[in-house]
Amino acid sequence: MSTANLDHLQPYYGDFHIHIGRAGNGQSVKISGSKNLTFEAIAKEAAERKGIHMIGIIDCHSPSVQADIEACLRDGVMQELAGGGIAYENTVILLGCELEVAIPELGACHVLVYLRTLADMKSFTLWMSRSMKNVQLSSQRLYVEPRSLQREVAERGGLLIPAHIFTPYKGLYGSMSDRMERVLDPSLIFAVELGLSADTSMAGLLSELDEFTFLTNSDAHSLSKIGREYNVLLLDHPSYDEFVMAIQRKKGRRVVRNYGLDPRLGKYHRTFCRSCGSVLEEHFNHSTPHRCPLCGSLNPVQGVLDRILSIADRREPVVPVHRPPYLVQVPLEFLPGLGKVTLKRLLAAFGSEMAILHQASEEELTRTAGAAIARHILMARRGTLQLSSGGGGVYGRITKPS
């Protein structure tokens, strides 16, 4: 395909894993999610504060959430698009859900499912309700063989994407298997979600991931976490159909950049001992992965990096030619010294967090927030902040620059 034929394609920001805390009627959806994470509040945050063009709102399988969506459509606040998805101001919402699937001898993992329309999602809910204890809640176990779920999603024109694949809690590789084919049919998988504690280079140690598109998503459980990881997609316009083409790398559509946390900031980057509370960054021994070298406990939680190293089939990472760059992203809320008042001033000046992170110049940032905060934002852009690794459910930390 010639370059001229792609001139109409433009870059768009996308975060495709955002949870709903509760529905408009007060019913809980994601138990661990913030109560202000409603369908409409997420759309408003993404469009007006974050400046994100496309979002995937997970938990749209919940009947009470579907009632909220119908109300937004009925009131004219949102509109369904001919190409799939729902429009709110300048942001397009993709309807998704997160499910837990299991194989008795291996364990369980989470997968993301995206469907084209609300009618498709309601039909999927009806199908799932026969094999799920509580279809109202998020991330529930679906008592269906994983490959049967894949076929059901494919027949509905949907996408199934393994979620946070390396995490020790419900990640396909992190808690279930060393090979995807033992759990899912790889021919029906087009993308995987890396998760907060891994990056492209780490995933490049596993050869079977070479063919897949990588997604970096926030897995947000609060409004402030939206966009802590995100993607840039090359599309004609934001819609479900365009998203599918980008995931499958068709007609020039593709993911052109992955913005993610430095993996050291992730909650599960390194192995953590639950007994002595130590992050075993320098002490972990891969030959005895189930014993803490500091206290001797048999109670460590294996970190993402250590898990990848234990199942890798390469000594050095390989990055396929189709793989976009992974750019280290430090969310504004992680920056030391950046308080709510200063952030509000920055948002008033530049319009959105995306503009602050990517577009504002050093001079503009200094004029608005002062030299110290401007320097921290620029260091975050350049990936030069000093970090300490996270583990065991605790985020890594940024060392305040001198």
Side-chain angles (χ1 to χ4, degrees):
M1 184 178 292
S2 69
T3 303
N5 292 334
L6 303 180
D7 288 347
H8 62 292
L9 301 182
Q10 300 293 327
Y12 296 94
Y13 295 118
D15 177 2
F16 303 104
H17 190 162
I18 303 169
H19 280 285
I20 290 178
R22 68 174 178 179
N25 63 5
Q27 283 188 288
S28 293
V29 180
K30 183 70 174 178
I31 301 298
S32 59
S34 171
K35 292 182 178 179
N36 63 2
L37 274 172
T38 63
F39 188 83
E40 189 170 358
I42 292 168
K44 185 177 180 69
E45 177 79 6
E48 299 177 9
R49 182 184 175 97
K50 300 293 183 178
I52 300 175
H53 306 111
M54 296 183 73
I55 54 174
I57 299 186
I58 307 305
D59 310 325
C60 291
H61 69 285
S62 173
S64 60
V65 172
Q66 292 168 4
D68 290 345
I69 300 171
E70 289 175 327
C72 290
L73 295 172
R74 187 170 57 249
D75 295 344
V77 176
M78 301 182 186
Q79 299 81 37
E80 286 203 90
L81 298 173
I86 293 175
Y88 173 82
E89 296 185 2
N90 294 321
T91 295
V92 169
I93 302 161
L94 304 184
L95 305 182
C97 65
E98 185 173 29
L99 304 170
E100 182 175 303
V101 296
I103 295 176
E105 62 272 23
L106 295 178
C109 71
H110 285 177
V111 297
L112 303 171
V113 171
Y114 302 92
L115 293 168
R116 193 172 188 275
T117 68
L118 179 57
D120 292 334
M121 186 60 75
K122 292 177 74 173
S123 173
F124 189 59
T125 295
L126 181 61
W127 175 80
M128 286 195 301
S129 65
R130 307 181 189 116
S131 305
M132 182 181 288
K133 291 182 178 179
N134 191 344
V135 77
Q136 166 67 24
L137 296 177
S138 170
S139 309
Q140 297 296 289
R141 179 166 294 188
L142 184 67
Y143 293 91
V144 171
E145 199 277 327
R147 283 177 170 78
S148 296
L149 169 63
Q150 285 185 273
R151 290 190 291 270
E152 185 71 27
V153 171
E155 288 170 1
R156 295 172 182 273
L159 285 176
L160 185 146
I161 296 174
H164 44 75
I165 56 173
F166 297 116
T167 58
Y169 297 107
K170 311 303 182 183
L172 188 150
Y173 294 106
S175 68
M176 198 174 184
S177 176
D178 59 352
R179 297 287 295 174
M180 181 180 293
E181 63 189 11
R182 298 181 67 193
V183 181
L184 298 167
D185 178 355
S187 70
L188 294 176
I189 300 294
F190 299 98
V192 297
E193 181 186 69
L194 292 180
L196 302 182
S197 297
D199 62 14
T200 291
S201 179
M202 292 164 63
L205 293 171
L206 276 68
S207 61
E208 73 171 1
L209 293 177
D210 286 353
E211 63 187 284
F212 302 125
T213 295
F214 286 172
L215 289 178
T216 43
N217 298 321
S218 69
D219 195 358
H221 287 50
S222 64
L223 290 176
S224 67
K225 296 293 191 294
I226 295 172
R228 63 180 167 182
E229 293 202 344
Y230 51 94
N231 313 271
V232 178
L233 291 79
L234 197 63
L235 310 171
D236 181 75
H237 59 276
S239 72
Y240 177 83
D241 291 346
E242 290 281 320
F243 173 70
V244 172
M245 283 193 285
I247 293 302
Q248 298 181 351
R249 303 192 298 275
K250 292 182 175 180
K251 298 183 178 180
R253 280 76 166 171
R254 63 190 191 279
V255 176
V256 292
R257 288 191 293 281
N258 293 119
Y259 281 98
L261 295 181
D262 185 301
R264 291 173 293 171
L265 289 176
K267 293 194 293 184
Y268 303 107
H269 181 60
R270 297 308 302 258
T271 297
F272 177 83
C273 178
R274 287 176 287 197
S275 294
C276 68
S278 301
V279 176
L280 307 178
E281 186 167 7
E282 299 176 359
H283 307 283
F284 187 71
N285 187 343
H286 293 284
S287 64
T288 56
H290 303 298
R291 181 180 295 276
C292 174
L294 299 180
C295 72
S297 167
L298 298 177
N299 202 25
V301 178
Q302 190 173 24
V304 166
L305 175 59
D306 301 304
R307 174 60 175 169
I308 291 173
L309 291 175
S310 72
I311 65 174
D313 60 352
R314 290 170 171 156
R315 292 187 177 183
E316 296 294 333
V318 171
V319 179
V321 292
H322 68 80
R323 185 81 66 224
Y326 183 102
L327 302 176
V328 172
Q329 167 65 26
V330 178
L332 291 174
E333 68 169 351
F334 275 72
L335 294 180
L338 180 55
K340 293 182 179 179
V341 173
T342 304
L343 178 56
K344 186 175 181 180
R345 191 159 63 243
L346 285 165
L347 288 169
F350 303 110
S352 71
E353 291 193 14
M354 294 297 109
I356 297 166
L357 288 166
H358 299 293
Q359 298 164 15
S361 68
E362 181 176 6
E363 181 182 352
E364 291 171 327
L365 291 168
T366 300
R367 187 165 57 245
T368 305
I373 295 299
R375 184 160 61 95
H376 296 173
I377 293 172
L378 292 171
M379 290 177 73
R381 282 185 193 172
R382 298 165 185 155
T384 57
L385 288 167
Q386 296 298 310
L387 310 174
S388 62
S389 296
V394 178
Y395 289 109
R397 296 188 303 275
I398 295 173
T399 303
K400 189 173 182 177
S402 58

PDB file of all heavy atoms in Angstrom, residues 82-107:
ATOM      1  N   ALA A  82     -22.092   4.455  13.619  1.00  0.00           N
ATOM      2  CA  ALA A  82     -22.307   3.458  12.574  1.00  0.00           C
ATOM      3  C   ALA A  82     -21.160   2.451  12.517  1.00  0.00           C
ATOM      4  O   ALA A  82     -21.366   1.279  12.192  1.00  0.00           O
ATOM      5  CB  ALA A  82     -22.459   4.164  11.223  1.00  0.00           C
ATOM      6  N   GLY A  83     -19.952   2.892  12.845  1.00  0.00           N
ATOM      7  CA  GLY A  83     -18.790   2.004  12.826  1.00  0.00           C
ATOM      8  C   GLY A  83     -18.560   1.267  14.126  1.00  0.00           C
ATOM      9  O   GLY A  83     -17.526   0.609  14.293  1.00  0.00           O
ATOM     10  N   GLY A  84     -19.527   1.327  15.037  1.00  0.00           N
ATOM     11  CA  GLY A  84     -19.385   0.653  16.324  1.00  0.00           C
ATOM     12  C   GLY A  84     -18.779   1.559  17.373  1.00  0.00           C
ATOM     13  O   GLY A  84     -17.910   2.379  17.089  1.00  0.00           O
ATOM     14  N   GLY A  85     -19.236   1.416  18.611  1.00  0.00           N
ATOM     15  CA  GLY A  85     -18.800   2.289  19.683  1.00  0.00           C
ATOM     16  C   GLY A  85     -19.819   3.366  19.960  1.00  0.00           C
ATOM     17  O   GLY A  85     -20.821   3.520  19.240  1.00  0.00           O
ATOM     18  N   ILE A  86     -19.581   4.127  21.019  1.00  0.00           N
ATOM     19  CA  ILE A  86     -20.495   5.172  21.462  1.00  0.00           C
ATOM     20  C   ILE A  86     -19.716   6.475  21.601  1.00  0.00           C
ATOM     21  O   ILE A  86     -18.645   6.505  22.220  1.00  0.00           O
ATOM     22  CB  ILE A  86     -21.149   4.790  22.806  1.00  0.00           C
ATOM     23  CG1 ILE A  86     -22.069   3.580  22.596  1.00  0.00           C
ATOM     24  CG2 ILE A  86     -21.924   5.958  23.397  1.00  0.00           C
ATOM     25  CD1 ILE A  86     -22.668   3.037  23.873  1.00  0.00           C
ATOM     26  N   ALA A  87     -20.245   7.550  21.031  1.00  0.00           N
ATOM     27  CA  ALA A  87     -19.566   8.845  21.037  1.00  0.00           C
ATOM     28  C   ALA A  87     -20.042   9.698  22.198  1.00  0.00           C
ATOM     29  O   ALA A  87     -21.241   9.814  22.453  1.00  0.00           O
ATOM     30  CB  ALA A  87     -19.810   9.575  19.721  1.00  0.00           C
ATOM     31  N   TYR A  88     -19.068  10.293  22.905  1.00  0.00           N
ATOM     32  CA  TYR A  88     -19.344  11.310  23.927  1.00  0.00           C
ATOM     33  C   TYR A  88     -18.382  12.459  23.669  1.00  0.00           C
ATOM     34  O   TYR A  88     -17.163  12.293  23.785  1.00  0.00           O
ATOM     35  CB  TYR A  88     -19.138  10.754  25.332  1.00  0.00           C
ATOM     36  CG  TYR A  88     -19.260  11.822  26.411  1.00  0.00           C
ATOM     37  CD1 TYR A  88     -20.506  12.226  26.877  1.00  0.00           C
ATOM     38  CD2 TYR A  88     -18.121  12.428  26.940  1.00  0.00           C
ATOM     39  CE1 TYR A  88     -20.619  13.203  27.843  1.00  0.00           C
ATOM     40  CE2 TYR A  88     -18.227  13.421  27.902  1.00  0.00           C
ATOM     41  CZ  TYR A  88     -19.475  13.802  28.350  1.00  0.00           C
ATOM     42  OH  TYR A  88     -19.589  14.787  29.301  1.00  0.00           O
ATOM     43  N   GLU A  89     -18.904  13.611  23.291  1.00  0.00           N
ATOM     44  CA  GLU A  89     -18.082  14.750  22.894  1.00  0.00           C
ATOM     45  C   GLU A  89     -17.060  14.277  21.860  1.00  0.00           C
ATOM     46  O   GLU A  89     -17.434  13.727  20.834  1.00  0.00           O
ATOM     47  CB  GLU A  89     -17.448  15.403  24.128  1.00  0.00           C
ATOM     48  CG  GLU A  89     -18.496  16.000  25.075  1.00  0.00           C
ATOM     49  CD  GLU A  89     -17.886  16.753  26.234  1.00  0.00           C
ATOM     50  OE1 GLU A  89     -16.639  16.865  26.318  1.00  0.00           O
ATOM     51  OE2 GLU A  89     -18.655  17.243  27.087  1.00  0.00           O
ATOM     52  N   ASN A  90     -15.772  14.462  22.126  1.00  0.00           N
ATOM     53  CA  ASN A  90     -14.748  14.050  21.155  1.00  0.00           C
ATOM     54  C   ASN A  90     -14.115  12.704  21.485  1.00  0.00           C
ATOM     55  O   ASN A  90     -13.063  12.362  20.948  1.00  0.00           O
ATOM     56  CB  ASN A  90     -13.649  15.127  21.079  1.00  0.00           C
ATOM     57  CG  ASN A  90     -14.158  16.432  20.504  1.00  0.00           C
ATOM     58  OD1 ASN A  90     -14.965  16.426  19.572  1.00  0.00           O
ATOM     59  ND2 ASN A  90     -13.714  17.538  21.063  1.00  0.00           N
ATOM     60  N   THR A  91     -14.750  11.951  22.369  1.00  0.00           N
ATOM     61  CA  THR A  91     -14.223  10.651  22.792  1.00  0.00           C
ATOM     62  C   THR A  91     -15.168   9.535  22.376  1.00  0.00           C
ATOM     63  O   THR A  91     -16.388   9.690  22.473  1.00  0.00           O
ATOM     64  CB  THR A  91     -14.019  10.620  24.319  1.00  0.00           C
ATOM     65  OG1 THR A  91     -12.998  11.570  24.665  1.00  0.00           O
ATOM     66  CG2 THR A  91     -13.598   9.247  24.810  1.00  0.00           C
ATOM     67  N   VAL A  92     -14.604   8.419  21.909  1.00  0.00           N
ATOM     68  CA  VAL A  92     -15.405   7.253  21.522  1.00  0.00           C
ATOM     69  C   VAL A  92     -15.183   6.147  22.545  1.00  0.00           C
ATOM     70  O   VAL A  92     -14.046   5.839  22.909  1.00  0.00           O
ATOM     71  CB  VAL A  92     -15.026   6.765  20.108  1.00  0.00           C
ATOM     72  CG1 VAL A  92     -15.662   5.406  19.803  1.00  0.00           C
ATOM     73  CG2 VAL A  92     -15.458   7.802  19.079  1.00  0.00           C
ATOM     74  N   ILE A  93     -16.279   5.560  23.002  1.00  0.00           N
ATOM     75  CA  ILE A  93     -16.257   4.514  24.021  1.00  0.00           C
ATOM     76  C   ILE A  93     -16.458   3.163  23.358  1.00  0.00           C
ATOM     77  O   ILE A  93     -17.409   2.975  22.586  1.00  0.00           O
ATOM     78  CB  ILE A  93     -17.378   4.744  25.051  1.00  0.00           C
ATOM     79  CG1 ILE A  93     -17.235   6.122  25.699  1.00  0.00           C
ATOM     80  CG2 ILE A  93     -17.384   3.636  26.101  1.00  0.00           C
ATOM     81  CD1 ILE A  93     -18.509   6.611  26.365  1.00  0.00           C
ATOM     82  N   LEU A  94     -15.564   2.220  23.663  1.00  0.00           N
ATOM     83  CA  LEU A  94     -15.743   0.839  23.250  1.00  0.00           C
ATOM     84  C   LEU A  94     -16.301   0.059  24.433  1.00  0.00           C
ATOM     85  O   LEU A  94     -15.858   0.244  25.572  1.00  0.00           O
ATOM     86  CB  LEU A  94     -14.415   0.230  22.800  1.00  0.00           C
ATOM     87  CG  LEU A  94     -13.672   0.962  21.675  1.00  0.00           C
ATOM     88  CD1 LEU A  94     -12.430   0.170  21.272  1.00  0.00           C
ATOM     89  CD2 LEU A  94     -14.570   1.190  20.467  1.00  0.00           C
ATOM     90  N   LEU A  95     -17.270  -0.811  24.168  1.00  0.00           N
ATOM     91  CA  LEU A  95     -17.926  -1.564  25.220  1.00  0.00           C
ATOM     92  C   LEU A  95     -17.182  -2.867  25.467  1.00  0.00           C
ATOM     93  O   LEU A  95     -16.997  -3.677  24.560  1.00  0.00           O
ATOM     94  CB  LEU A  95     -19.385  -1.850  24.836  1.00  0.00           C
ATOM     95  CG  LEU A  95     -20.223  -0.618  24.478  1.00  0.00           C
ATOM     96  CD1 LEU A  95     -21.659  -1.029  24.165  1.00  0.00           C
ATOM     97  CD2 LEU A  95     -20.195   0.418  25.586  1.00  0.00           C
ATOM     98  N   GLY A  96     -16.740  -3.065  26.707  1.00  0.00           N
ATOM     99  CA  GLY A  96     -15.949  -4.241  27.024  1.00  0.00           C
ATOM    100  C   GLY A  96     -16.358  -4.869  28.339  1.00  0.00           C
ATOM    101  O   GLY A  96     -17.183  -4.347  29.080  1.00  0.00           O
ATOM    102  N   CYS A  97     -15.758  -6.020  28.606  1.00  0.00           N
ATOM    103  CA  CYS A  97     -15.923  -6.658  29.913  1.00  0.00           C
ATOM    104  C   CYS A  97     -14.670  -7.471  30.214  1.00  0.00           C
ATOM    105  O   CYS A  97     -13.926  -7.854  29.313  1.00  0.00           O
ATOM    106  CB  CYS A  97     -17.175  -7.528  29.975  1.00  0.00           C
ATOM    107  SG  CYS A  97     -17.174  -8.949  28.879  1.00  0.00           S
ATOM    108  N   GLU A  98     -14.423  -7.685  31.499  1.00  0.00           N
ATOM    109  CA  GLU A  98     -13.309  -8.520  31.941  1.00  0.00           C
ATOM    110  C   GLU A  98     -13.878  -9.765  32.603  1.00  0.00           C
ATOM    111  O   GLU A  98     -14.755  -9.673  33.460  1.00  0.00           O
ATOM    112  CB  GLU A  98     -12.408  -7.767  32.923  1.00  0.00           C
ATOM    113  CG  GLU A  98     -11.168  -8.559  33.322  1.00  0.00           C
ATOM    114  CD  GLU A  98     -10.192  -7.741  34.150  1.00  0.00           C
ATOM    115  OE1 GLU A  98     -10.632  -6.816  34.864  1.00  0.00           O
ATOM    116  OE2 GLU A  98      -8.985  -8.036  34.081  1.00  0.00           O
ATOM    117  N   LEU A  99     -13.371 -10.913  32.185  1.00  0.00           N
ATOM    118  CA  LEU A  99     -13.871 -12.192  32.675  1.00  0.00           C
ATOM    119  C   LEU A  99     -12.719 -13.022  33.222  1.00  0.00           C
ATOM    120  O   LEU A  99     -11.572 -12.876  32.805  1.00  0.00           O
ATOM    121  CB  LEU A  99     -14.535 -12.977  31.540  1.00  0.00           C
ATOM    122  CG  LEU A  99     -15.674 -12.296  30.788  1.00  0.00           C
ATOM    123  CD1 LEU A  99     -16.041 -13.093  29.551  1.00  0.00           C
ATOM    124  CD2 LEU A  99     -16.875 -12.113  31.691  1.00  0.00           C
ATOM    125  N   GLU A 100     -13.048 -13.916  34.130  1.00  0.00           N
ATOM    126  CA  GLU A 100     -12.087 -14.893  34.608  1.00  0.00           C
ATOM    127  C   GLU A 100     -12.408 -16.245  34.004  1.00  0.00           C
ATOM    128  O   GLU A 100     -13.549 -16.698  34.071  1.00  0.00           O
ATOM    129  CB  GLU A 100     -12.131 -14.982  36.137  1.00  0.00           C
ATOM    130  CG  GLU A 100     -11.116 -15.945  36.718  1.00  0.00           C
ATOM    131  CD  GLU A 100     -11.113 -15.924  38.238  1.00  0.00           C
ATOM    132  OE1 GLU A 100     -10.898 -14.831  38.812  1.00  0.00           O
ATOM    133  OE2 GLU A 100     -11.327 -17.000  38.847  1.00  0.00           O
ATOM    134  N   VAL A 101     -11.414 -16.855  33.390  1.00  0.00           N
ATOM    135  CA  VAL A 101     -11.569 -18.198  32.841  1.00  0.00           C
ATOM    136  C   VAL A 101     -10.593 -19.114  33.555  1.00  0.00           C
ATOM    137  O   VAL A 101      -9.562 -18.671  34.079  1.00  0.00           O
ATOM    138  CB  VAL A 101     -11.328 -18.233  31.315  1.00  0.00           C
ATOM    139  CG1 VAL A 101     -12.376 -17.401  30.595  1.00  0.00           C
ATOM    140  CG2 VAL A 101      -9.924 -17.738  30.970  1.00  0.00           C
ATOM    141  N   ALA A 102     -10.915 -20.394  33.588  1.00  0.00           N
ATOM    142  CA  ALA A 102     -10.094 -21.321  34.366  1.00  0.00           C
ATOM    143  C   ALA A 102      -9.980 -22.675  33.681  1.00  0.00           C
ATOM    144  O   ALA A 102     -10.874 -23.089  32.932  1.00  0.00           O
ATOM    145  CB  ALA A 102     -10.682 -21.494  35.769  1.00  0.00           C
ATOM    146  N   ILE A 103      -8.874 -23.333  33.943  1.00  0.00           N
ATOM    147  CA  ILE A 103      -8.656 -24.741  33.608  1.00  0.00           C
ATOM    148  C   ILE A 103      -8.195 -25.395  34.902  1.00  0.00           C
ATOM    149  O   ILE A 103      -7.183 -24.981  35.486  1.00  0.00           O
ATOM    150  CB  ILE A 103      -7.611 -24.900  32.495  1.00  0.00           C
ATOM    151  CG1 ILE A 103      -8.119 -24.279  31.193  1.00  0.00           C
ATOM    152  CG2 ILE A 103      -7.275 -26.375  32.281  1.00  0.00           C
ATOM    153  CD1 ILE A 103      -7.123 -24.303  30.053  1.00  0.00           C
ATOM    154  N   PRO A 104      -8.930 -26.376  35.420  1.00  0.00           N
ATOM    155  CA  PRO A 104      -8.668 -26.905  36.769  1.00  0.00           C
ATOM    156  C   PRO A 104      -7.223 -27.224  37.072  1.00  0.00           C
ATOM    157  O   PRO A 104      -6.699 -26.874  38.132  1.00  0.00           O
ATOM    158  CB  PRO A 104      -9.562 -28.149  36.818  1.00  0.00           C
ATOM    159  CG  PRO A 104     -10.688 -27.832  35.893  1.00  0.00           C
ATOM    160  CD  PRO A 104     -10.087 -27.027  34.780  1.00  0.00           C
ATOM    161  N   GLU A 105      -6.526 -27.856  36.138  1.00  0.00           N
ATOM    162  CA  GLU A 105      -5.153 -28.277  36.432  1.00  0.00           C
ATOM    163  C   GLU A 105      -4.132 -27.145  36.302  1.00  0.00           C
ATOM    164  O   GLU A 105      -2.974 -27.298  36.704  1.00  0.00           O
ATOM    165  CB  GLU A 105      -4.734 -29.433  35.520  1.00  0.00           C
ATOM    166  CG  GLU A 105      -4.716 -29.107  34.028  1.00  0.00           C
ATOM    167  CD  GLU A 105      -6.056 -29.335  33.348  1.00  0.00           C
ATOM    168  OE1 GLU A 105      -7.102 -29.319  34.042  1.00  0.00           O
ATOM    169  OE2 GLU A 105      -6.055 -29.526  32.112  1.00  0.00           O
ATOM    170  N   LEU A 106      -4.558 -25.985  35.762  1.00  0.00           N
ATOM    171  CA  LEU A 106      -3.633 -24.876  35.547  1.00  0.00           C
ATOM    172  C   LEU A 106      -3.913 -23.675  36.438  1.00  0.00           C
ATOM    173  O   LEU A 106      -2.995 -22.974  36.855  1.00  0.00           O
ATOM    174  CB  LEU A 106      -3.682 -24.429  34.074  1.00  0.00           C
ATOM    175  CG  LEU A 106      -3.206 -25.432  33.024  1.00  0.00           C
ATOM    176  CD1 LEU A 106      -3.360 -24.846  31.632  1.00  0.00           C
ATOM    177  CD2 LEU A 106      -1.755 -25.833  33.285  1.00  0.00           C
ATOM    178  N   GLY A 107      -5.180 -23.377  36.690  1.00  0.00           N
ATOM    179  CA  GLY A 107      -5.538 -22.194  37.449  1.00  0.00           C
ATOM    180  C   GLY A 107      -6.456 -21.291  36.645  1.00  0.00           C
ATOM    181  O   GLY A 107      -7.210 -21.753  35.778  1.00  0.00           O
TER     182      GLY A 107
END
